[in-house]
Amino acid sequence: MKIEDARVIVASPGRNYVTLKIVTDGGIYGIGDATLNGRELAVASYLSEHVVPLLIGREAMNIEDTWQLLYRSAYWRRGPVTMAAIAAVDMALWDIKGKELGTPVWNLLGGRCRDGLLVYSHASGRSVDQTIEQVHTLIAAGYRAVRVQCLVPGLEAMYGVPRADGAGDGKGLPFVENDWSSQAYLRFVPTLFAAVRDAVGPKPALLHDAHHRLTPTQAGWLGKRLEDFQLFWLEDAVPAEWQDGYKILRHHTTTPLAVGEVFNTIFDCDRLVRNGWVDYIRAAPVHAGGITHLRKIADYAAPHHVKIGCHGAGDLSPVTMAAAAHFGIATYNAAIQEHGEHSAATHRLFPHHWSVTDGYLQPGDAPGLGVDIDEDLAGQLPYERAYLPVTRLEDGTVGDW
Ligand code: KDG
Ligand code: MG
């Protein structure tokens, strides 16, 4: 079965998504997600200019060979643009293989090894009371795990929390700069978790994302103070470019640590996993080379007691959610999956068989990945330039997003 055509579809049902559709000579097609939030057209161009010409005429069933060809032949290996492009091809080829064989991708990955994949959703309030209300609403809707974020008193806007006008992060906004104070944040977060634990009791899993904004010693201070509230994880406490930061952090707290939504390859995970500096890797199928490469990361992490909890914010498309669902149901050390919100228009654009029931993600039984794209609708939803906000510290220097 040869690849006859491959096209890149960019559409914005409220935010931009880049999708690759690969069509074979027998008519079977597969789709893959290539969305890189805020830099979408770089991947779209990498795909259409450099990858698609290599795909035409290739055997669609040889996924590993195509993966290796795209990874090695570029010479310029790794990086978010390259790996998102390879991921899209990889997902689309798994989708095609499943359809050709008449079986869901999870079956090709070894079959189910759990009943459902635990998901977490987001409670994100502008006050502690509002945040607690949202946690209660999610628990009432069946969620067993909730990421808790709350606007720090004194700040106007903050990652993961709706703005005063109700808008979210990077949703068609012009370029925005927000004020940030790590001191105010550090003072506030332990009081937030004391209030939330008090309100919901010991059972629900609570998570928190520090979004790469702390130094190792600041993060150690915070992790220590959160220990009594037994978080499922503290995410991205420090940026991971300098991985020894996690070594320092690890020795200051027993709060479980998660990192890696910006990771692209197994090499980003290597030292953290090998040294036992983190508990969870957050790499997602779309940003870490697809199902094929994520499986290798998971297998490398498993004997080191490191589990996988894939990034799944709303800027990762329902195609990635499908890939993550198939991966997670069939991968022993997949522990949890983020379930970000998608707009109604996004669900219409990407009809899918995956679902969240009773706090667990189910991939469904449709052949392939069980997700599609409505190309007519995509044609009516043109790309809209959008940027994630950045932060300015109290003295005016640029901070981390
Ligand atoms: O594009 C960036 C977002 O996906 C990111 O800011 C969301 O940190 C995030 C998360 O954990 O979902
Ligand atoms: Mg995050």
Side-chain angles (χ1 to χ4, degrees):
M1 189 174 38
K2 300 279 191 247
I3 296 173
E4 198 172 72
D5 184 30
R7 50 185 179 270
V8 181
I9 305 156
V10 183
S12 181
R15 68 185 321 146
N16 298 309
Y17 295 107
V18 179
T19 308
L20 178 70
K21 180 165 183 172
I22 296 181
V23 185
T24 64
D25 52 6
I28 290 180
Y29 65 87
I31 62 172
D33 182 20
T35 308
L36 189 60
N37 195 12
R39 297 293 185 271
E40 298 88 356
L41 298 187
V43 190
S45 162
Y46 187 91
L47 275 169
S48 49
E49 298 298 327
H50 305 294
V51 173
V52 166
L54 296 175
L55 296 177
I56 308 304
R58 287 188 63 76
E59 170 54 54
M61 294 293 261
N62 293 345
I63 301 175
E64 178 73 19
D65 186 57
T66 297
W67 196 98
Q68 298 296 342
L69 177 102
L70 295 177
Y71 181 76
R72 291 171 196 283
S73 71
Y75 185 59
W76 313 106
R77 294 180 188 180
R78 304 185 283 149
V81 174
T82 304
M83 296 308 287
I86 294 177
V89 175
D90 186 76
M91 284 182 219
L93 294 184
W94 278 106
D95 192 21
I96 288 169
K97 187 184 280 289
K99 287 174 177 167
E100 168 71 5
L101 299 176
T103 193
V105 168
W106 57 256
N107 201 21
L108 302 174
L109 297 174
R112 283 177 176 268
C113 67
R114 54 177 51 85
D115 296 333
L117 179 63
L118 181 68
V119 292
Y120 71 91
S121 187
H122 300 170
S124 311
R126 291 184 62 83
S127 68
V128 174
D129 284 351
Q130 198 182 49
T131 305
I132 290 174
E133 203 183 300
Q134 288 186 19
V135 177
H136 281 308
T137 305
L138 289 169
I139 291 170
Y143 286 95
R144 297 149 193 267
V146 180
R147 189 189 80 166
V148 177
Q149 307 294 139
C150 180
L151 184 68
V152 173
L155 298 183
E156 257 307 297
M158 191 178 136
Y159 64 90
V161 172
R163 300 177 64 84
D165 62 8
D169 300 326
K171 289 183 184 165
L173 297 167
F175 193 78
V176 165
E177 297 186 357
N178 297 325
D179 292 337
W180 177 251
S181 162
S182 290
Q183 290 310 320
Y185 167 83
L186 287 169
R187 271 196 306 276
F188 173 63
V189 173
T191 67
L192 168 68
F193 276 90
V196 173
R197 240 330 152 217
D198 200 37
V200 302
K203 205 162 169 211
L206 302 178
L207 301 84
H208 182 67
D209 189 350
H211 230 284
H212 303 115
R213 296 199 177 179
L214 304 176
T215 64
T217 46
Q218 287 173 330
W221 187 96
L222 179 62
K224 228 184 245 175
R225 273 149 191 86
L226 294 178
E227 282 168 12
D228 285 348
F229 312 120
Q230 282 195 303
L231 265 58
F232 186 96
W233 75 36
L234 172 62
E235 175 188 341
D236 287 344
V238 294
E241 287 102 319
W242 182 60
Q243 302 209 325
D244 290 58
Y246 278 89
K247 179 181 181 181
I248 298 170
L249 176 54
R250 186 57 138 189
H251 289 115
H252 282 92
T253 181
T254 55
T255 292
L257 302 172
V259 68
E261 68 184 38
V262 299
F263 288 180
N264 313 126
T265 70
I266 200 164
F267 300 104
D268 299 322
C269 311
D270 178 28
R271 291 186 66 222
L272 297 171
V273 165
R274 190 160 29 94
N275 292 301
W277 292 340
V278 298
D279 301 275
Y280 298 93
I281 293 289
R282 302 256 303 126
V286 59
H287 300 134
I291 294 170
T292 296
H293 195 62
L294 191 58
R295 232 351 175 48
K296 290 176 182 170
I297 293 174
D299 288 345
Y300 181 60
H304 297 86
H305 300 278
V306 176
K307 298 183 179 185
I308 309 295
C310 294
H311 183 206
D315 52 281
L316 285 72
S317 92
V319 181
T320 279
M321 280 301 284
H326 287 263
F327 161 84
I329 210 80
T331 301
Y332 180 70
N333 61 330
I336 194 166
Q337 170 65 43
E338 182 176 17
H339 178 218
E341 219 175 86
H342 289 123
S343 66
T346 303
H347 287 292
R348 275 198 300 280
L349 180 62
F350 297 102
H352 55 79
H353 288 262
W354 60 262
S355 60
V356 174
T357 317
D358 205 20
Y360 289 96
L361 178 62
Q362 300 293 347
D365 292 326
L369 289 175
V371 61
D372 209 339
I373 183 164
D374 180 336
E375 286 190 78
D376 292 338
L377 183 56
Q380 298 161 34
L381 302 167
Y383 170 77
E384 293 175 280
R385 181 166 289 116
Y387 292 96
L388 285 166
V390 294
T391 53
R392 292 263 173 203
L393 310 183
E394 283 118 318
D395 69 351
T397 45
V398 174
D400 290 307
W401 155 243

